[in-house]
PDB file of all heavy atoms in Angstrom:
ATOM      1  N   THR R 266      -9.888 -17.051 -25.357  1.00  0.00           N
ATOM      2  CA  THR R 266      -9.946 -17.890 -24.157  1.00  0.00           C
ATOM      3  C   THR R 266     -11.364 -18.009 -23.639  1.00  0.00           C
ATOM      4  O   THR R 266     -12.038 -16.998 -23.413  1.00  0.00           O
ATOM      5  CB  THR R 266      -9.036 -17.316 -23.051  1.00  0.00           C
ATOM      6  OG1 THR R 266      -7.760 -16.986 -23.601  1.00  0.00           O
ATOM      7  CG2 THR R 266      -8.840 -18.335 -21.955  1.00  0.00           C
ATOM      8  N   LEU R 267     -11.804 -19.240 -23.439  1.00  0.00           N
ATOM      9  CA  LEU R 267     -13.148 -19.527 -22.931  1.00  0.00           C
ATOM     10  C   LEU R 267     -13.053 -19.925 -21.463  1.00  0.00           C
ATOM     11  O   LEU R 267     -12.468 -20.959 -21.131  1.00  0.00           O
ATOM     12  CB  LEU R 267     -13.796 -20.658 -23.738  1.00  0.00           C
ATOM     13  CG  LEU R 267     -15.264 -20.960 -23.413  1.00  0.00           C
ATOM     14  CD1 LEU R 267     -16.171 -19.890 -24.013  1.00  0.00           C
ATOM     15  CD2 LEU R 267     -15.665 -22.342 -23.925  1.00  0.00           C
ATOM     16  N   ALA R 268     -13.609 -19.105 -20.575  1.00  0.00           N
ATOM     17  CA  ALA R 268     -13.722 -19.466 -19.161  1.00  0.00           C
ATOM     18  C   ALA R 268     -14.992 -20.284 -19.012  1.00  0.00           C
ATOM     19  O   ALA R 268     -16.095 -19.786 -19.231  1.00  0.00           O
ATOM     20  CB  ALA R 268     -13.784 -18.213 -18.293  1.00  0.00           C
ATOM     21  N   LEU R 269     -14.845 -21.557 -18.655  1.00  0.00           N
ATOM     22  CA  LEU R 269     -15.961 -22.501 -18.671  1.00  0.00           C
ATOM     23  C   LEU R 269     -16.429 -22.851 -17.264  1.00  0.00           C
ATOM     24  O   LEU R 269     -15.650 -23.314 -16.435  1.00  0.00           O
ATOM     25  CB  LEU R 269     -15.538 -23.776 -19.410  1.00  0.00           C
ATOM     26  CG  LEU R 269     -16.600 -24.868 -19.568  1.00  0.00           C
ATOM     27  CD1 LEU R 269     -17.732 -24.378 -20.464  1.00  0.00           C
ATOM     28  CD2 LEU R 269     -15.969 -26.141 -20.131  1.00  0.00           C
ATOM     29  N   ALA R 270     -17.723 -22.628 -16.998  1.00  0.00           N
ATOM     30  CA  ALA R 270     -18.341 -23.096 -15.752  1.00  0.00           C
ATOM     31  C   ALA R 270     -18.820 -24.528 -15.953  1.00  0.00           C
ATOM     32  O   ALA R 270     -19.150 -24.925 -17.079  1.00  0.00           O
ATOM     33  CB  ALA R 270     -19.504 -22.199 -15.369  1.00  0.00           C
ATOM     34  N   TYR R 271     -18.879 -25.316 -14.873  1.00  0.00           N
ATOM     35  CA  TYR R 271     -19.397 -26.672 -15.045  1.00  0.00           C
ATOM     36  C   TYR R 271     -20.323 -27.127 -13.918  1.00  0.00           C
ATOM     37  O   TYR R 271     -20.916 -28.195 -14.013  1.00  0.00           O
ATOM     38  CB  TYR R 271     -18.271 -27.684 -15.286  1.00  0.00           C
ATOM     39  CG  TYR R 271     -17.165 -27.732 -14.254  1.00  0.00           C
ATOM     40  CD1 TYR R 271     -17.151 -28.699 -13.255  1.00  0.00           C
ATOM     41  CD2 TYR R 271     -16.097 -26.835 -14.320  1.00  0.00           C
ATOM     42  CE1 TYR R 271     -16.118 -28.762 -12.341  1.00  0.00           C
ATOM     43  CE2 TYR R 271     -15.057 -26.896 -13.414  1.00  0.00           C
ATOM     44  CZ  TYR R 271     -15.061 -27.855 -12.425  1.00  0.00           C
ATOM     45  OH  TYR R 271     -14.031 -27.925 -11.513  1.00  0.00           O
ATOM     46  N   TYR R 272     -20.487 -26.330 -12.882  1.00  0.00           N
ATOM     47  CA  TYR R 272     -21.554 -26.575 -11.920  1.00  0.00           C
ATOM     48  C   TYR R 272     -21.730 -25.353 -11.034  1.00  0.00           C
ATOM     49  O   TYR R 272     -20.895 -24.466 -10.998  1.00  0.00           O
ATOM     50  CB  TYR R 272     -21.307 -27.846 -11.098  1.00  0.00           C
ATOM     51  CG  TYR R 272     -20.295 -27.754  -9.969  1.00  0.00           C
ATOM     52  CD1 TYR R 272     -20.702 -27.670  -8.643  1.00  0.00           C
ATOM     53  CD2 TYR R 272     -18.929 -27.809 -10.229  1.00  0.00           C
ATOM     54  CE1 TYR R 272     -19.792 -27.616  -7.608  1.00  0.00           C
ATOM     55  CE2 TYR R 272     -18.001 -27.754  -9.199  1.00  0.00           C
ATOM     56  CZ  TYR R 272     -18.432 -27.660  -7.887  1.00  0.00           C
ATOM     57  OH  TYR R 272     -17.520 -27.609  -6.862  1.00  0.00           O
ATOM     58  N   GLN R 273     -22.866 -25.294 -10.360  1.00  0.00           N
ATOM     59  CA  GLN R 273     -23.231 -24.177  -9.477  1.00  0.00           C
ATOM     60  C   GLN R 273     -23.112 -22.827 -10.183  1.00  0.00           C
ATOM     61  O   GLN R 273     -22.532 -21.880  -9.658  1.00  0.00           O
ATOM     62  CB  GLN R 273     -22.367 -24.197  -8.200  1.00  0.00           C
ATOM     63  CG  GLN R 273     -22.815 -25.228  -7.196  1.00  0.00           C
ATOM     64  CD  GLN R 273     -22.039 -25.168  -5.891  1.00  0.00           C
ATOM     65  OE1 GLN R 273     -21.245 -24.276  -5.646  1.00  0.00           O
ATOM     66  NE2 GLN R 273     -22.277 -26.153  -5.022  1.00  0.00           N
ATOM     67  N   TYR R 274     -23.695 -22.769 -11.379  1.00  0.00           N
ATOM     68  CA  TYR R 274     -23.714 -21.512 -12.110  1.00  0.00           C
ATOM     69  C   TYR R 274     -24.965 -21.480 -12.988  1.00  0.00           C
ATOM     70  O   TYR R 274     -25.199 -22.389 -13.789  1.00  0.00           O
ATOM     71  CB  TYR R 274     -22.467 -21.363 -12.975  1.00  0.00           C
ATOM     72  CG  TYR R 274     -22.402 -20.045 -13.719  1.00  0.00           C
ATOM     73  CD1 TYR R 274     -22.143 -18.863 -13.033  1.00  0.00           C
ATOM     74  CD2 TYR R 274     -22.618 -19.985 -15.092  1.00  0.00           C
ATOM     75  CE1 TYR R 274     -22.088 -17.647 -13.701  1.00  0.00           C
ATOM     76  CE2 TYR R 274     -22.561 -18.778 -15.768  1.00  0.00           C
ATOM     77  CZ  TYR R 274     -22.305 -17.613 -15.074  1.00  0.00           C
ATOM     78  OH  TYR R 274     -22.267 -16.417 -15.725  1.00  0.00           O
ATOM     79  N   GLU R 275     -25.771 -20.450 -12.763  1.00  0.00           N
ATOM     80  CA  GLU R 275     -27.013 -20.265 -13.505  1.00  0.00           C
ATOM     81  C   GLU R 275     -27.822 -21.564 -13.499  1.00  0.00           C
ATOM     82  O   GLU R 275     -28.134 -22.080 -12.440  1.00  0.00           O
ATOM     83  CB  GLU R 275     -26.721 -19.747 -14.921  1.00  0.00           C
ATOM     84  CG  GLU R 275     -26.122 -18.343 -14.922  1.00  0.00           C
ATOM     85  CD  GLU R 275     -25.968 -17.769 -16.305  1.00  0.00           C
ATOM     86  OE1 GLU R 275     -26.133 -18.491 -17.305  1.00  0.00           O
ATOM     87  OE2 GLU R 275     -25.671 -16.547 -16.412  1.00  0.00           O
ATOM     88  N   ASP R 276     -28.154 -22.114 -14.693  1.00  0.00           N
ATOM     89  CA  ASP R 276     -28.999 -23.298 -14.735  1.00  0.00           C
ATOM     90  C   ASP R 276     -28.208 -24.603 -14.784  1.00  0.00           C
ATOM     91  O   ASP R 276     -28.788 -25.673 -15.003  1.00  0.00           O
ATOM     92  CB  ASP R 276     -29.957 -23.227 -15.931  1.00  0.00           C
ATOM     93  CG  ASP R 276     -29.217 -23.076 -17.254  1.00  0.00           C
ATOM     94  OD1 ASP R 276     -27.991 -22.832 -17.233  1.00  0.00           O
ATOM     95  OD2 ASP R 276     -29.865 -23.192 -18.314  1.00  0.00           O
ATOM     96  N   LEU R 277     -26.887 -24.544 -14.571  1.00  0.00           N
ATOM     97  CA  LEU R 277     -26.103 -25.776 -14.478  1.00  0.00           C
ATOM     98  C   LEU R 277     -26.443 -26.505 -13.179  1.00  0.00           C
ATOM     99  O   LEU R 277     -26.984 -25.924 -12.241  1.00  0.00           O
ATOM    100  CB  LEU R 277     -24.610 -25.461 -14.523  1.00  0.00           C
ATOM    101  CG  LEU R 277     -24.068 -24.863 -15.825  1.00  0.00           C
ATOM    102  CD1 LEU R 277     -22.583 -24.553 -15.673  1.00  0.00           C
ATOM    103  CD2 LEU R 277     -24.292 -25.810 -16.998  1.00  0.00           C
ATOM    104  N   ILE R 278     -26.100 -27.782 -13.144  1.00  0.00           N
ATOM    105  CA  ILE R 278     -26.383 -28.584 -11.950  1.00  0.00           C
ATOM    106  C   ILE R 278     -25.736 -27.944 -10.727  1.00  0.00           C
ATOM    107  O   ILE R 278     -24.603 -27.446 -10.790  1.00  0.00           O
ATOM    108  CB  ILE R 278     -25.897 -30.035 -12.160  1.00  0.00           C
ATOM    109  CG1 ILE R 278     -26.358 -30.916 -11.003  1.00  0.00           C
ATOM    110  CG2 ILE R 278     -24.392 -30.087 -12.340  1.00  0.00           C
ATOM    111  CD1 ILE R 278     -26.138 -32.401 -11.263  1.00  0.00           C
ATOM    112  N   GLN R 279     -26.460 -27.942  -9.612  1.00  0.00           N
ATOM    113  CA  GLN R 279     -25.965 -27.298  -8.403  1.00  0.00           C
ATOM    114  C   GLN R 279     -25.135 -28.236  -7.526  1.00  0.00           C
ATOM    115  O   GLN R 279     -24.079 -27.846  -7.025  1.00  0.00           O
ATOM    116  CB  GLN R 279     -27.141 -26.739  -7.592  1.00  0.00           C
ATOM    117  CG  GLN R 279     -27.914 -25.646  -8.316  1.00  0.00           C
ATOM    118  CD  GLN R 279     -27.050 -24.428  -8.619  1.00  0.00           C
ATOM    119  OE1 GLN R 279     -26.459 -23.837  -7.723  1.00  0.00           O
ATOM    120  NE2 GLN R 279     -26.965 -24.062  -9.901  1.00  0.00           N
ATOM    121  N   LYS R 280     -25.589 -29.461  -7.351  1.00  0.00           N
ATOM    122  CA  LYS R 280     -24.894 -30.421  -6.501  1.00  0.00           C
ATOM    123  C   LYS R 280     -24.667 -31.707  -7.289  1.00  0.00           C
ATOM    124  O   LYS R 280     -25.432 -32.665  -7.176  1.00  0.00           O
ATOM    125  CB  LYS R 280     -25.682 -30.701  -5.223  1.00  0.00           C
ATOM    126  CG  LYS R 280     -25.827 -29.482  -4.314  1.00  0.00           C
ATOM    127  CD  LYS R 280     -26.582 -29.822  -3.040  1.00  0.00           C
ATOM    128  CE  LYS R 280     -26.695 -28.608  -2.126  1.00  0.00           C
ATOM    129  NZ  LYS R 280     -27.416 -28.918  -0.863  1.00  0.00           N
ATOM    130  N   PRO R 281     -23.639 -31.727  -8.112  1.00  0.00           N
ATOM    131  CA  PRO R 281     -23.421 -32.904  -8.964  1.00  0.00           C
ATOM    132  C   PRO R 281     -23.002 -34.136  -8.172  1.00  0.00           C
ATOM    133  O   PRO R 281     -22.300 -34.027  -7.158  1.00  0.00           O
ATOM    134  CB  PRO R 281     -22.302 -32.454  -9.901  1.00  0.00           C
ATOM    135  CG  PRO R 281     -21.576 -31.390  -9.140  1.00  0.00           C
ATOM    136  CD  PRO R 281     -22.614 -30.696  -8.310  1.00  0.00           C
ATOM    137  N   THR R 282     -23.442 -35.279  -8.633  1.00  0.00           N
ATOM    138  CA  THR R 282     -22.956 -36.555  -8.113  1.00  0.00           C
ATOM    139  C   THR R 282     -22.007 -37.202  -9.114  1.00  0.00           C
ATOM    140  O   THR R 282     -21.273 -38.126  -8.777  1.00  0.00           O
ATOM    141  CB  THR R 282     -24.127 -37.508  -7.827  1.00  0.00           C
ATOM    142  OG1 THR R 282     -24.901 -37.673  -9.034  1.00  0.00           O
ATOM    143  CG2 THR R 282     -25.024 -36.940  -6.723  1.00  0.00           C
ATOM    144  N   LYS R 283     -22.029 -36.696 -10.347  1.00  0.00           N
ATOM    145  CA  LYS R 283     -21.100 -37.130 -11.388  1.00  0.00           C
ATOM    146  C   LYS R 283     -21.048 -36.046 -12.457  1.00  0.00           C
ATOM    147  O   LYS R 283     -21.920 -35.170 -12.531  1.00  0.00           O
ATOM    148  CB  LYS R 283     -21.533 -38.461 -11.994  1.00  0.00           C
ATOM    149  CG  LYS R 283     -22.937 -38.448 -12.570  1.00  0.00           C
ATOM    150  CD  LYS R 283     -23.339 -39.836 -13.019  1.00  0.00           C
ATOM    151  CE  LYS R 283     -24.803 -39.852 -13.495  1.00  0.00           C
ATOM    152  NZ  LYS R 283     -25.221 -41.209 -13.906  1.00  0.00           N
ATOM    153  N   LEU R 284     -19.994 -36.062 -13.260  1.00  0.00           N
ATOM    154  CA  LEU R 284     -19.843 -35.125 -14.359  1.00  0.00           C
ATOM    155  C   LEU R 284     -19.832 -35.891 -15.678  1.00  0.00           C
ATOM    156  O   LEU R 284     -19.417 -37.055 -15.724  1.00  0.00           O
ATOM    157  CB  LEU R 284     -18.544 -34.330 -14.217  1.00  0.00           C
ATOM    158  CG  LEU R 284     -18.432 -33.428 -12.976  1.00  0.00           C
ATOM    159  CD1 LEU R 284     -17.043 -32.804 -12.893  1.00  0.00           C
ATOM    160  CD2 LEU R 284     -19.504 -32.360 -12.969  1.00  0.00           C
ATOM    161  N   HIS R 285     -20.275 -35.227 -16.736  1.00  0.00           N
ATOM    162  CA  HIS R 285     -20.354 -35.860 -18.049  1.00  0.00           C
ATOM    163  C   HIS R 285     -19.387 -35.178 -18.997  1.00  0.00           C
ATOM    164  O   HIS R 285     -19.437 -33.954 -19.193  1.00  0.00           O
ATOM    165  CB  HIS R 285     -21.783 -35.794 -18.592  1.00  0.00           C
ATOM    166  CG  HIS R 285     -22.768 -36.592 -17.787  1.00  0.00           C
ATOM    167  ND1 HIS R 285     -23.031 -37.919 -18.046  1.00  0.00           N
ATOM    168  CD2 HIS R 285     -23.520 -36.254 -16.713  1.00  0.00           C
ATOM    169  CE1 HIS R 285     -23.919 -38.379 -17.175  1.00  0.00           C
ATOM    170  NE2 HIS R 285     -24.235 -37.374 -16.354  1.00  0.00           N
ATOM    171  N   LEU R 286     -18.528 -35.961 -19.629  1.00  0.00           N
ATOM    172  CA  LEU R 286     -17.528 -35.409 -20.526  1.00  0.00           C
ATOM    173  C   LEU R 286     -18.167 -34.806 -21.776  1.00  0.00           C
ATOM    174  O   LEU R 286     -17.557 -33.947 -22.439  1.00  0.00           O
ATOM    175  CB  LEU R 286     -16.522 -36.494 -20.909  1.00  0.00           C
ATOM    176  CG  LEU R 286     -15.167 -36.018 -21.446  1.00  0.00           C
ATOM    177  CD1 LEU R 286     -14.450 -35.148 -20.432  1.00  0.00           C
ATOM    178  CD2 LEU R 286     -14.289 -37.212 -21.827  1.00  0.00           C
ATOM    179  N   GLU R 287     -19.384 -35.218 -22.106  1.00  0.00           N
ATOM    180  CA  GLU R 287     -20.064 -34.655 -23.272  1.00  0.00           C
ATOM    181  C   GLU R 287     -20.248 -33.142 -23.148  1.00  0.00           C
ATOM    182  O   GLU R 287     -20.242 -32.428 -24.161  1.00  0.00           O
ATOM    183  CB  GLU R 287     -21.427 -35.332 -23.469  1.00  0.00           C
ATOM    184  CG  GLU R 287     -21.385 -36.741 -24.021  1.00  0.00           C
ATOM    185  CD  GLU R 287     -21.173 -37.810 -22.960  1.00  0.00           C
ATOM    186  OE1 GLU R 287     -20.934 -37.432 -21.786  1.00  0.00           O
ATOM    187  OE2 GLU R 287     -21.245 -39.003 -23.286  1.00  0.00           O
ATOM    188  N   TYR R 288     -20.429 -32.652 -21.921  1.00  0.00           N
ATOM    189  CA  TYR R 288     -20.571 -31.214 -21.709  1.00  0.00           C
ATOM    190  C   TYR R 288     -19.287 -30.493 -22.135  1.00  0.00           C
ATOM    191  O   TYR R 288     -19.323 -29.473 -22.832  1.00  0.00           O
ATOM    192  CB  TYR R 288     -20.886 -30.925 -20.246  1.00  0.00           C
ATOM    193  CG  TYR R 288     -20.891 -29.444 -19.901  1.00  0.00           C
ATOM    194  CD1 TYR R 288     -21.980 -28.651 -20.215  1.00  0.00           C
ATOM    195  CD2 TYR R 288     -19.799 -28.853 -19.273  1.00  0.00           C
ATOM    196  CE1 TYR R 288     -21.992 -27.293 -19.912  1.00  0.00           C
ATOM    197  CE2 TYR R 288     -19.797 -27.494 -18.963  1.00  0.00           C
ATOM    198  CZ  TYR R 288     -20.899 -26.725 -19.283  1.00  0.00           C
ATOM    199  OH  TYR R 288     -20.900 -25.383 -18.984  1.00  0.00           O
ATOM    200  N   PHE R 289     -18.155 -31.035 -21.746  1.00  0.00           N
ATOM    201  CA  PHE R 289     -16.870 -30.431 -22.085  1.00  0.00           C
ATOM    202  C   PHE R 289     -16.558 -30.603 -23.574  1.00  0.00           C
ATOM    203  O   PHE R 289     -15.922 -29.733 -24.185  1.00  0.00           O
ATOM    204  CB  PHE R 289     -15.774 -31.036 -21.207  1.00  0.00           C
ATOM    205  CG  PHE R 289     -16.024 -30.832 -19.740  1.00  0.00           C
ATOM    206  CD1 PHE R 289     -16.720 -31.771 -18.993  1.00  0.00           C
ATOM    207  CD2 PHE R 289     -15.599 -29.677 -19.104  1.00  0.00           C
ATOM    208  CE1 PHE R 289     -16.965 -31.574 -17.640  1.00  0.00           C
ATOM    209  CE2 PHE R 289     -15.839 -29.468 -17.753  1.00  0.00           C
ATOM    210  CZ  PHE R 289     -16.536 -30.418 -17.023  1.00  0.00           C
ATOM    211  N   GLU R 290     -17.021 -31.707 -24.148  1.00  0.00           N
ATOM    212  CA  GLU R 290     -16.876 -31.911 -25.594  1.00  0.00           C
ATOM    213  C   GLU R 290     -17.653 -30.853 -26.365  1.00  0.00           C
ATOM    214  O   GLU R 290     -17.192 -30.360 -27.408  1.00  0.00           O
ATOM    215  CB  GLU R 290     -17.365 -33.308 -25.964  1.00  0.00           C
ATOM    216  CG  GLU R 290     -17.139 -33.679 -27.414  1.00  0.00           C
ATOM    217  CD  GLU R 290     -17.522 -35.120 -27.692  1.00  0.00           C
ATOM    218  OE1 GLU R 290     -18.486 -35.616 -27.057  1.00  0.00           O
ATOM    219  OE2 GLU R 290     -16.872 -35.756 -28.548  1.00  0.00           O
ATOM    220  N   GLU R 291     -18.817 -30.486 -25.849  1.00  0.00           N
ATOM    221  CA  GLU R 291     -19.608 -29.436 -26.479  1.00  0.00           C
ATOM    222  C   GLU R 291     -18.860 -28.105 -26.462  1.00  0.00           C
ATOM    223  O   GLU R 291     -18.919 -27.324 -27.428  1.00  0.00           O
ATOM    224  CB  GLU R 291     -20.954 -29.307 -25.754  1.00  0.00           C
ATOM    225  CG  GLU R 291     -21.981 -28.474 -26.485  1.00  0.00           C
ATOM    226  CD  GLU R 291     -23.351 -28.532 -25.834  1.00  0.00           C
ATOM    227  OE1 GLU R 291     -23.671 -29.556 -25.205  1.00  0.00           O
ATOM    228  OE2 GLU R 291     -24.111 -27.540 -25.955  1.00  0.00           O
ATOM    229  N   ALA R 292     -18.132 -27.836 -25.386  1.00  0.00           N
ATOM    230  CA  ALA R 292     -17.335 -26.614 -25.309  1.00  0.00           C
ATOM    231  C   ALA R 292     -16.198 -26.635 -26.329  1.00  0.00           C
ATOM    232  O   ALA R 292     -15.885 -25.614 -26.949  1.00  0.00           O
ATOM    233  CB  ALA R 292     -16.781 -26.437 -23.900  1.00  0.00           C
TER     234      ALA R 292
END
Side-chain angles (χ1 to χ4, degrees):
T266 313
L267 186 75
L269 182 66
Y271 55 99
Y272 78 104
Q273 282 185 8
Y274 182 72
E275 294 186 350
D276 57 350
L277 295 177
I278 188 169
Q279 297 298 304
K280 296 182 179 181
T282 56
K283 57 186 175 181
L284 297 175
H285 295 271
L286 200 59
E287 286 85 354
Y288 173 79
F289 301 91
E290 186 175 34
E291 193 172 331

